Structures are given as C-alpha cells and as structure tokens.
C-alpha cells in the first residue's frame, strides 16, 4: 500500500501536535496515530499546567527576565550535571520563540498575577491547564488539514537498513499499515507498563501508582530499541513523587499531590519515622518522597498531622482521615496503635522552641536529640483532632528514551535513520538525565516537536 | 434544597480546589479557592455565579470516563436550578414552571384567553387605536398588578438568597462592579476574551455572549420604551399610538429586533449544545421561556407593522397575552436567573473586597 500521507506521527500529546502543525504548515500531508480514544487524547500533556520559558524581557504572562544561563543553571541543579549541554541549551534558547508560537496556535495563558507567584517569572501557566492546550492544538491541526486517527495503536516500525519502511498499527480491531515517507515518534515513556517498570525497578514497582495516562506503555520505544535504535537514559530511573495513597492506579493527575509533609511526621506501616520531613521546601521535597516511600515495606507511608496544621497546605482531593485520639487514628489507618503513640511521643519530646515557626520558608524550627531529626517546621503533634493521609509512590515519567541529535533525528549504531525523528518524553532523556525541572517537559516537547516537524517536512518534500 | 445535588457539587468543588487549573476562566474559581470545606451556602453562591460557559468542562482532565467523573457546569446548574425553586415565593409554582416548557406554553395560552375575554368584557370605552380594543384604564388595571406582583415575589426570593449566602450591606462600588460584569458578560468571555465553549465542544466562540447581550439589551430597550410611553401618557398627556420618531418607538423597535435576533440565536445554540452539561430537567423550561420572549418581541414588532390592519386586535391579544404571561412567570422561569445572577455578582464583589 502506498500511503497518501507524507508523515505519520505516533502519539497525540503536546510533542506530536507541535510536530504535526509545523509539518502541515510546510505543506506536508500529516496523520496522527493516537492510541487513546478521543476522550483520553493528549497523553500526559493533558495533565500539565505550565511551560518553562526563557525570556530576555517580560513576555506574555511572564514577568521580568529569565536568562539562558540562569535556566541552564537551574537545570544543572536538578540533573546533577546529567544533561547534554548542546541539546539543553537548544531547548532553552528556542523556548523564547515558542511562547508566541503557542499563542498563535491557540494556547491561552493565565495572566501573571494568578497561579503560583514564585513561578510567575519562569513558568507560563496554561489557562485551563494542559487539556485546554491539547484541545486548542487539535483544533488548529485539523484546520491545517492534519488527519487524526484515534484508537490507532502502533505496534511496530519496520526498520529497513537506514530508514523506516512501514508502520504497523491496529485500528478497530484490524491490523493495518502505512508507508509514509517520514515518521515522528512522540509516544511518551513506558511508565504505564507495570511489567517493564517491575523489570527495571524490582517487585516494588507493582505498588506504584501512575500519575498520568495509562496509554504510555512504551510499545514503540521497546520495538525500536529491539531493532538497534540508540537509546539514552537509565531504565531504572523514573521521576516519582509521593502522592495520596488513595489515588487511582492511573491518571490521578495533579490533584493527588499532597503538600502536607513538612508539617507532619511521616511513618511507615510499622509506625516508624524514616526520613527528615523538614528537609527542604517544594519542589525538591516533593520529588524525594516518591523514592523514600518506594523503599518502605509495601511501598506505603502515612502522614500524621494535627489540627493546627490542617490549613497550612493546598487542599487535598480526598479528605484526610480524622480521629480524636492518636489510638483511634492508628486504628483507622491500620497502624500499630501503641507504636504510633510512642513514635509521636518521642517526636513531641524532641521538639524545642516553636516560636520561630514559619510555614512558607525554612524556619530552622527543629528537633533535638532524636535519631531521625526534623530540621524545619518541627512542632509537636498534640492538638486533636488528628489527621492522616496515606502515601504511595506516584510515577510521573521514565527516563529511558531514544537518543536524538540537534535535528531530533534518531540513530542506529551505523548512523542516522534517514526518516525517523523523535520528540517529547520519548527522547527527553537526551536532555534530562535525572531529576526534573517544573515545566521543562513541555519545553522539550514543544521545541523538539517543532524541530521534528520541520525536518520531517523537509525530508518529505 | 436537595441534599444529593449539594453533595455532588461539594464533591466536585473539592476536586477543583485541589486542581485549580481552571482558575482563570470565571469568577467561580477564585470564590471556590477561598473555601476549604463547602457549606450549602457556599455552593449556592458558586452555583449562581456560574454562567454555564462550559470552559471548565472541556478543559477538565477528569471528565467521564475518568472515575472522578467531573462535570462542574452540570453540578452547578442543578444546584442553581434547585436554589431558585427553593427561594421562589410562592414555591410550588416555581417547581412547575422552572422545569417545564409545556407549563409555560399553557400559561401563555391562558394569557391570550384572558386578554380576549377582557376585550369582550371590558372593551374600548371609546378609545382610539389599541384603546379601541381595550381601554387604557382596563390595560392598567390588568397590567399594573401583573407587574407589581412579580416584583414583590422576586424581592422575597432575593431576600432569601441574600440571607442564605450571608450577604452584607451593599455599597455603591459593589453595585458598579456587579453591573459592570453583567454588562460585558465578563464571565462568558472565557477569561481570555475568546468567549465560551457552548455550542461546538471545545471551540471558543462569542455566539452565546452576543446572543445573550442582544436579548438583555433588547429587553432593556423595550422596557425603557414602555416606561417612556408611560411617562408620555401620564405626564405629557400624549397617549399611544406613537409615531416612528418618538421615544417609545425609537427605543422599542431596535429593542424588539435585538430580542428577536437574540432569542432565535439562543434557541439555536441551545439545540446545538450538549444537554448533559446543564441541568437536563430544566432544558424544556428554559427553551419554553426563550420562545416566550421571542413571542413577546415578535408580536410587538408585528403590532407596529400591522397596527392599522384588520389583524390588529388579534395581534394585540397575542402581544398583550404573551407580555402578561411573561410578567407573571418572571419569578418562576429562567427570567429569574438575571436577578439571582446580579445578586451573586454583588455578593462576589463583597467577597473580593473582604479578601
Ligand atoms: C500529573 C502530571 C503533571 C505534569 N505537569 C507538567 C507541567 O506542568 N509542565 C510540564 O512541562 N510537564 C509536566 N508534566 C510532564 C509532561 O506531561 C510531559 O513531559 C509531556 O506531556 C510529554 O509530552 P509528550 O507529547 O512527549 O507525551 P504525551 O503527552 O504523554 O503523549 C504521548 C502520546 O502517545 C500516545 N501513545 C503512546 N503509545 C502509543 C502507541 N503505541 N501508538 C499510538 N499512540 C501512542 C499516548 O496515548 C499519548 O497521547 C506532567 C506530567 C504529569 C504526569
Ligand atoms: S474543572 Fe477539572 S481541570 Fe478545572 S479546576 Fe476542576 S478539576 Fe481542575
Ligand atoms: S461553566 Fe463556565 S462559568 Fe461555570 S464554573 Fe465552569 S468556567 Fe465557570
């Protein structure tokens, strides 16, 4: 079958859409193959909230300026230097022209005064969040003549020497194939494939919750890696945060986050504390607790606070478990009662002068003389009613991905694959070796989506 | 009010409060974010602030088939509808009319019948023009109570609303703020000025905003026209009919045209929109009411055009009959939403000023 399409794009999230619009604007006939049904289109991108953007002067909703070097330094801090500087700087530098481009393609941003104030300089917030961005892009793409096939699950890309010869996919229960002249992979990571996570992480991964889409199962990624396409990143690495233990297995998204840890003590199922709850402020603290909880028995943790802390953090999606005594709380949460009471007693006894308590900054209000200290916000848990949340590990994304060059092109051992490009989460490991910088996922997807779209269109024409 | 509707709105409001992605769309979200636990009164106020623009629905990553099953426009529409029914006085009438287009149609027909009867029984007393069909004093005797009763009824309802939502003494600046929002339909602008998501899924469009503006300003012009007529009649002793270059006509004709266009647009938008994002039980009542407004405006215009023909008495009966039902139904139909909306906007100004 000779395909009527110049370019086939695998995936239907931010990176795919940016590639599709760019290629269509250059005259290419483009088809998007999205495995999800329409209601779930947009992958993890529909759960996002903002976009990190360099700018030399106030830009759209962004105030002041945010230079390339400052942005790059921020990236170095979270990745501990594990980044490809050329690609990272390319992403950062190009982000500045992306924001107006996004607006031209239908994205609307929140005015700068709303949202999280401390991010008003670095991150532009989407009005309505990522799903409204995805909706706007689908509208624009369709206007540009891009075809979209939902529930089209790509299973195999046939690599023939240095080019992709064929795409196999299933649609409406039938096996189908396409032979476009160019292919862009934008199908995300593999975090929704628990088997794969378990192979990489060990059995603990069975208890992980997946914060985003159930459709990013790494099918195409695995298929390409099997055929010798080069990869970057570490299969054992994933970005994980501690989220509400009652969250759904998939797709809980942003609302399942819990911001109460710094005002709490966190215990495991034996009612033992296991880490300094006051170590750092958001967002660092947010990211470390995913791993901490993953290393506890059954991969669960329990946050205990008392009534004086209840209003100090963002509202949570599920109401906390509430009890008038610690014994009752332990009972309701399935924790050993005597042990929890003892842990709290020991902790309370170690709290000192709390007059310097300050909820929004590192206040140095710490415990003295206990084995696992709490170095900030350490106040006794003593004012009933008491409240509790359970914690589980919530995976955001995986790091293993396709290695790309500055043109977003993929390579096999012998050199570039002539008609294969990758964009978004599926190649983000090329830039983000570890850690995560809020809003950078959308930056990578937008920048490399546009590059991939441009290159593929040039190739096809 | 119905506990299950409130409970469902509460569940959804709590999810939104943890999410906050929609904060820029309308006034509902900033008001919502100020609470942590939602009382029935909070929910009533949020529900009456919501303009059913549906922006938050199409932006939401938690709509069905997601297990969170969010549909905030619907949840708020149902609480809103229920609140009007429970605040309305006398209440049993409200339930009938709010929900049923059929009841509105029946009331309108009853309005015609009464007017025809009045023509027969009361007659002209020797007046000219319209007054040849029904004398001016008879018209006043019928329409004055029909006008005053709804005002009294709405006053009672709004007082109940104000008490329920903890309203405080109103200041002029709050009134200015609230009328400003209403005048521009700020809450139907999507926060970014592109409009709302009413008739074609997630596409932003100004259609509903413009249609609503046309009806609102058209209605206000017609109202001003009637007031001008009343003043001319009583103060300047110039009775109807008025010529084209007179205040009642200069206000009334564009007003009538705007209302006709606006109601037709609103009805067609309603037909295109997804019914499951509003209060499905209220759909018929809302549609019935839009059609009644259309009839009021159209018959008024026709009366002007055909006022010197043999069709006049029949048209007059239809016009006055629909106006009569419109007035009498005002407290119990979608028309009441305008009053509640203003109250909610004033209340929201109070919230903003107390921070
Ligand atoms: C809860 C949450 C919040 C986040 N918030 C932010 C934020 O605020 N800012 C930010 O920058 N980043 C954020 N991220 C990270 C961000 O979501 C990703 O970096 C970004 O969405 C990746 O975009 P993408 O287009 O590469 O992948 P996705 O948006 O995940 O798209 C991948 C697409 O591929 C499809 N697909 C998968 N396999 C196949 C197949 N075999 N065949 C066909 N289609 C397939 C999927 O259905 C999906 O549509 C967040 C992530 C999560 C989970
Ligand atoms: S409607 Fe959905 S996206 Fe909007 S604030 Fe509520 S939960 Fe978030
Ligand atoms: S439907 Fe529109 S007006 Fe109502 S809450 Fe949602 S965004 Fe606000």
């Amino acid at each position: 079958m000779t395909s009527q399409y110049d370019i086939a794009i695998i995936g239907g999230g931010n990176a795919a859409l940016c590639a599709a619009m760019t290629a269509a604007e250059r005259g290419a006939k483009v088809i998007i193959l999205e495995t999800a049904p329409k209601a779930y289109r947009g992958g993890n991108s529909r759960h996002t909230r903002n976009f990190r953007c360099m700018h030399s002067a106030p830009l759209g909703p962004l105030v002041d300026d945010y230079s390339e070097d400052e942005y790059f330094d921020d990236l170095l801090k979270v990745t501990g230097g594990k980044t490809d500087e050329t690609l990272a700087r390319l992403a950062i530098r190009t982000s500045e022209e992306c924001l107006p481009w996004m607006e031209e393609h239908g994205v609307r941003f929140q005015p700068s005064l709303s949202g999280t104030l401390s991010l008003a300089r670095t991150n532009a917030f989407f009005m309505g969040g990522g799903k409204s961005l995805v909706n706007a892009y689908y509208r624009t793409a369709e206007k540009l003549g891009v075809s979209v096939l939902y529930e089209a699950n790509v299973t195999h890309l046939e690599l023939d020497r240095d080019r992709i010869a064929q795409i196999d996919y299933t649609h409406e229960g039938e096996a189908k194939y396409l032979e476009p002249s160019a292919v862009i992979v934008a199908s995300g990571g593999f975090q929704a494939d628990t088997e794969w996570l378990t192979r990489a992480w060990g059995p603990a991964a069975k208890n992980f919750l997946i914060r985003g889409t159930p459709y990013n199962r790494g099918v195409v990624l695995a298929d390409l890696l099997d055929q010798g396409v080069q990869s970057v990143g570490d299969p054992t690495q994933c970005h994980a945060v501690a989220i509400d233990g009652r969250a759904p297995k998939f797709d809980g998204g942003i609302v399942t986050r819990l911001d109460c840890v710094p005002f709490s003590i966190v215990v495991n199922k034996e009612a033992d504390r296991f880490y300094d709850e006051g170590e750092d402020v958001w967002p660092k603290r947010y990211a470390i607790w995913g791993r901490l909880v993953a290393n506890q028995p059954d991969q669960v943790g329990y946050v205990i606070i008392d009534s004086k802390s209840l209003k100090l953090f963002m509202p949570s999606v599920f109401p906390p478990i509430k009890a008038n005594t610690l014994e009752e709380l332990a009972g309701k949460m399935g924790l050993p009662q005597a042990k929890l009471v003892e842990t709290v007693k020991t902790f309370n006894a170690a709290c000192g002068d709390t007059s310097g308590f300050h909820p929004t900054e590192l206040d140095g209000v710490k415990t003295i003389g206990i084995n696992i200290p709490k170095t900030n916000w350490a106040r006794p848990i003593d004012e009933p009613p008491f409240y509790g949340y359970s914690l589980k590990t919530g995976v955001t994304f995986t790091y293993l991905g396709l290695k790309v060059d500055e043109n977003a092109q993929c390579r096999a051992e012998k050199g570039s694959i002539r008609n294969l490009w990758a964009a978004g989460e599926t190649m983000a490991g090329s830039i983000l070796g570890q850690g995560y910088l809020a809003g950078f996922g959308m930056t990578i997807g937008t920048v490399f989506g546009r590059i991939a779209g441009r290159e593929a269109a040039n190739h096809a024409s | 009010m119905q506990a299950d509707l409130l409970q469902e709105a509460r569940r959804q409001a709590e999810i939104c409060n943890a999410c906050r992605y929609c904060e820029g769309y309308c006034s509902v979200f900033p008001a919502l974010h100020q609470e942590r636990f939602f009382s029935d009164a909070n929910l009533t106020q949020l529900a009456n602030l919501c303009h059913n623009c549906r922006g938050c629905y199409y932006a939401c990553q938690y709509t069905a088939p997601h297990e969170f099953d969010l549909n905030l426009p619907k949840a708020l529409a149902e609480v809103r509808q229920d609140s009007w029914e429970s605040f309305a006085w006398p209440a049993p009438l409200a339930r009938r009319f709010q929900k049923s287009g059929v009841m509105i149609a029946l009331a309108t027909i009853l309005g015609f019948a009464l007017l025809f009867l009045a023509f027969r029984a009361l007659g002209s007393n020797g007046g000219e023009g319209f007054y040849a069909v029904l004398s001016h004093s008879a018209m006043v005797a019928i329409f004055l109570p029909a006008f005053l009763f709804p005002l009294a009824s709405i006053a009672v309802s709004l007082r109940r609303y104000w008490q329920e939502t903890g309203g405080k003494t109103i200041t002029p600046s709050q009134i200015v703020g609230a009328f400003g929002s209403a005048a521009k339909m700020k809450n139907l602008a999507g926060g970014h000025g592109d409009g709302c998501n009413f008739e074609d899924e997630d596409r932003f469009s100004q259609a509903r905003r413009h249609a609503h503006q046309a009806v609102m300003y058209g209605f206000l012009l017609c109202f001003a026209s009637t007031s001008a007529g009343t003043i001319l009649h009583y103060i300047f002793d110039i009775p109807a009919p008025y010529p084209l270059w007179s205040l009642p006509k200069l206000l009334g004709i564009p007003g009538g045209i705007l209302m006709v266009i606006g109601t037709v647009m609103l009805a067609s938008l309603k037909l295109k929109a997804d019914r499951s994002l509003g209060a499905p039980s209220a759909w018929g009542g809302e549609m019935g009411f839009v059609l009644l407004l259309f009839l009021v405006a159209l018959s008024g215009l026709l009366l002007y055009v055909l006022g010197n023909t043999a069709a006049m008495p029949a048209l007059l009966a239809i016009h006055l009959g629909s106006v009569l039902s419109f007035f009498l139904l005002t407290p119990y139909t979608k028309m009441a939403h305008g009053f509640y909306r203003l109250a909610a906007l004033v209340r929201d100004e109070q919230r903003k000023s107390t921070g």
Side-chain angles (χ1 to χ4, degrees):
Chain A
M1 171 177 134
T2 340
S3 155
Q4 50 172 326
Y5 296 104
D6 301 320
I7 303 174
I9 301 180
I10 303 159
N14 173 57
L17 290 158
C18 290
M21 290 182 289
T22 308
E25 277 168 342
R26 289 171 171 255
K29 279 289 295 164
V30 181
I31 183 166
I32 286 180
L33 301 171
E34 159 66 294
T35 188
K38 187 176 175 200
Y40 275 127
R41 69 182 182 185
N44 280 353
S45 302
R46 65 186 225 291
H47 284 299
T48 64
R49 173 173 221 183
N50 60 39
F51 163 79
R52 185 174 288 253
C53 184
M54 171 190 135
H55 52 111
S56 46
L59 176 67
L62 296 165
V63 296
D64 300 335
D65 66 342
Y66 186 43
S67 72
E68 179 181 332
D69 288 336
E70 189 187 352
Y71 196 150
F72 186 66
D73 285 347
D74 287 343
L75 181 65
L76 283 186
K77 267 180 244 158
V78 297
T79 56
K82 282 197 190 169
T83 183
D84 176 325
E85 178 158 356
T86 315
L87 293 184
R89 284 194 183 269
L90 173 65
I92 290 171
R93 224 176 291 131
T94 316
S95 68
E96 187 163 17
E97 66 179 58
C98 285
L99 192 141
W101 183 89
M102 294 163 82
E103 285 180 324
E104 278 159 31
H105 290 79
V107 177
R108 295 290 173 267
F109 293 95
Q110 302 263 26
S112 67
L113 270 181
S114 54
T116 318
L117 259 184
S118 59
L119 292 174
R121 193 170 68 83
T122 56
N123 288 50
F125 286 70
F126 315 133
M127 178 86 79
K131 184 160 173 202
S132 67
L133 170 140
V134 165
N135 288 343
Y137 280 167
Y138 272 103
R139 287 261 166 200
T140 308
E142 277 163 36
K143 241 184 256 160
L144 289 167
V146 172
S147 309
V148 179
L149 207 56
Y150 298 109
E151 302 179 57
N153 185 31
V154 176
T155 50
H156 175 58
L157 304 189
E158 182 66 34
L159 179 62
D160 179 11
R161 267 169 295 184
D162 63 348
R163 66 183 297 274
I164 300 292
Q166 181 179 317
I167 299 181
D168 294 336
Y169 66 99
T170 56
H171 184 245
E172 292 174 342
E174 274 179 59
K176 302 198 169 168
Y177 70 97
L178 282 176
E179 294 172 334
S181 46
V183 181
I184 298 171
V185 184
S187 50
F190 65 85
Q191 62 277 358
D193 182 349
T194 317
E195 288 285 304
W196 192 342
L197 273 188
T198 314
R199 258 180 282 140
W201 250 84
K206 285 218 171 70
N207 290 326
F208 293 175
L209 304 176
I210 311 305
R211 299 174 68 211
T213 179
Y215 295 97
N216 286 0
R217 303 171 51 82
V219 174
V220 176
L221 179 63
D223 174 63
L224 289 173
L225 297 182
D226 283 348
Q227 297 177 76
V229 177
Q230 282 195 356
S231 69
V232 284
D234 179 350
T236 68
Q237 285 284 323
C238 64
H239 181 262
V241 300
I243 59 173
D244 197 308
R246 295 162 290 181
K249 176 76 182 169
F250 292 103
D251 247 339
I254 195 73
V255 299
T256 59
R257 72 164 156 358
L258 281 176
D259 278 350
C260 50
V261 166
F263 311 115
S264 73
I265 61 167
V266 180
V267 298
N268 60 18
K269 61 179 278 202
E270 268 107 54
D272 282 320
R273 288 178 63 235
F274 52 91
Y275 198 80
D276 176 4
E277 300 88 349
E279 185 180 67
D280 208 340
V281 285
W282 194 89
K284 189 178 166 211
R285 166 223 326 151
Y286 192 51
I288 57 179
W289 281 89
R291 275 166 189 279
L292 291 168
V293 169
N295 290 328
Q296 295 304 311
D298 289 352
Q299 293 71 51
V300 285
Y302 299 90
V303 188
I304 313 288
I305 59 172
D306 65 359
S307 58
K308 62 180 174 291
S309 299
L310 193 63
K311 290 191 175 170
L312 295 178
F313 53 92
M314 276 280 290
S316 56
V317 66
F318 302 112
I321 294 158
K322 178 178 173 183
N324 286 320
T325 64
L326 285 167
E327 286 85 350
E328 189 191 339
L329 188 68
K332 284 185 172 173
M333 298 183 79
L335 293 169
Q337 294 189 349
K339 187 63 184 300
L340 181 71
V341 173
E342 187 199 311
T343 301
V344 173
K345 221 164 110 191
T346 315
F347 171 79
N348 286 355
C351 292
D353 175 15
T354 60
S355 59
F357 176 78
H358 199 299
T360 55
E361 53 195 57
L362 294 171
D363 62 3
V365 171
K366 58 172 186 280
T367 55
I368 300 162
I370 40 173
N371 191 8
I372 294 168
K374 184 174 178 188
T375 49
N376 289 288
W377 311 292
R379 293 194 300 177
I381 311 278
D382 58 3
E383 274 178 29
F386 299 98
Y387 297 92
Y389 292 94
S390 62
L391 290 178
K392 280 193 183 173
T393 301
V395 179
T396 319
F397 56 84
T398 47
Y399 285 93
L400 178 74
L402 301 171
K403 186 178 171 67
V404 297
D405 63 13
E406 282 165 70
N407 288 328
Q409 196 159 15
C410 299
R411 24 186 327 113
E413 220 147 282
K414 289 192 206 102
S416 297
I417 303 170
R418 277 197 292 137
N419 66 346
L420 183 66
W421 291 267
E425 209 160 86
T426 204
M427 49 60 72
S430 304
I431 298 173
L432 268 172
Q434 67 173 43
Y436 181 63
L437 193 57
F440 200 44
M442 294 299 275
T443 308
I444 295 175
T446 310
V447 169
F448 283 89
R450 291 174 63 209
I451 293 175
R454 180 193 73 206
E455 294 298 313
N458 285 348
H459 175 87
S461 68
Chain B
M1 286 174 66
Q2 292 183 42
D4 53 335
L5 299 180
L6 287 163
Q7 192 45 40
E8 174 59 10
R10 182 173 293 118
R11 178 187 79 83
Q12 299 200 23
E14 282 170 1
I15 296 176
C16 290
N17 210 5
C19 170
R20 306 202 164 187
Y21 280 12
C22 291
E23 85 177 297
Y25 276 133
C26 69
S27 310
V28 169
F29 292 94
L32 190 155
H33 298 162
Q34 226 171 333
E35 312 295 332
R36 207 162 254 265
F37 307 103
F38 296 91
S39 65
D40 293 357
N42 295 146
L43 294 166
T44 303
Q45 165 66 6
L46 293 175
N48 280 284
L49 265 185
C50 170
H51 288 52
N52 201 243
C53 81
R54 303 164 178 219
C56 62
Y57 177 85
Y58 290 107
C60 185
Q61 66 269 46
Y62 300 121
T63 50
H66 194 286
E67 62 190 83
F68 288 169
D69 192 16
L70 241 80
N71 185 343
L72 193 65
K74 177 181 182 195
L76 293 182
E78 298 206 299
V79 169
R80 184 164 64 242
Q81 188 67 32
D82 189 46
S83 76
W84 299 342
E85 286 170 14
S86 67
F87 294 134
W89 172 84
L93 284 176
R95 256 173 239 287
R96 295 266 159 84
F97 291 111
Q98 292 278 10
K99 292 212 162 137
S100 168
V102 176
M103 289 300 291
I104 292 174
L106 286 178
T108 313
I109 292 167
L110 195 70
F112 300 161
L114 281 174
L115 259 294
F116 273 119
L117 268 179
F119 289 178
R120 282 266 177 82
L122 304 172
S124 75
N125 273 340
E128 285 172 42
F130 301 152
Y131 305 135
V133 180
L134 187 65
S135 75
H136 184 263
S137 43
M139 283 198 198
V140 172
I142 293 171
F143 279 90
L144 194 64
F147 181 64
L148 293 180
F149 164 74
L151 284 184
S153 165
I154 284 171
V156 172
S157 312
L158 284 185
R159 222 178 94 85
R160 289 176 176 171
Y161 180 81
W162 205 245
Q163 279 170 342
E164 162 77 11
T165 59
K168 303 180 191 70
T169 315
I170 300 168
T171 67
S173 73
Q174 292 161 357
I175 303 235
V176 171
F179 275 81
S181 299
K184 287 180 293 207
M185 293 278 140
K186 232 177 79 197
N187 286 296
L188 279 178
H192 39 45
D194 292 348
C196 66
N197 289 148
F198 196 71
E199 68 277 16
D200 178 16
E201 296 188 355
D202 56 66
R203 181 167 69 86
F204 289 95
S205 118
Q206 304 284 7
R208 181 147 174 262
R209 200 167 164 219
H210 289 158
H212 192 291
Q213 299 284 60
V215 172
M216 184 175 82
Y217 285 112
F219 178 78
L220 292 175
L221 283 172
C222 290
F223 194 75
S225 156
T226 308
S227 309
T230 310
I231 291 170
L232 287 180
H233 184 99
Y234 284 105
I235 301 187
F236 298 98
D237 200 20
I238 311 175
Y242 302 105
L244 178 59
W245 297 108
S246 66
L247 212 46
K249 285 286 179 301
L250 289 177
L251 295 165
I253 293 172
I257 293 173
L258 276 176
M259 266 174 78
V260 167
I261 296 173
T263 47
V264 169
M265 270 175 82
L266 276 184
S268 82
L269 290 173
K270 260 187 116 48
L271 288 172
K272 287 185 207 153
D274 184 344
R275 292 190 201 182
S276 67
L277 307 190
S281 65
W283 195 90
E286 290 178 359
M287 198 54 131
F289 177 72
V290 172
L291 296 177
L292 174 58
L293 261 185
F294 169 77
L295 191 61
V296 167
L298 185 73
S299 59
L301 286 176
L302 286 179
L303 199 53
Y304 170 63
V305 178
L306 304 175
N308 292 325
T309 68
M312 189 271 272
L315 276 174
L316 187 66
I318 293 176
H319 182 61
L320 293 181
S322 52
V323 171
L324 186 65
S325 358
F326 170 80
F327 276 147
L328 288 173
L329 289 177
T330 284
Y332 313 117
T333 54
K334 187 70 197 243
M335 189 62 189
H337 91 282
F339 297 93
Y340 286 106
R341 185 84 81 227
L342 268 175
L345 287 169
V346 174
R347 185 75 194 93
D348 196 51
E349 291 292 323
Q350 300 192 331
R351 174 193 67 80
K352 284 191 234 166
S353 57
T354 54

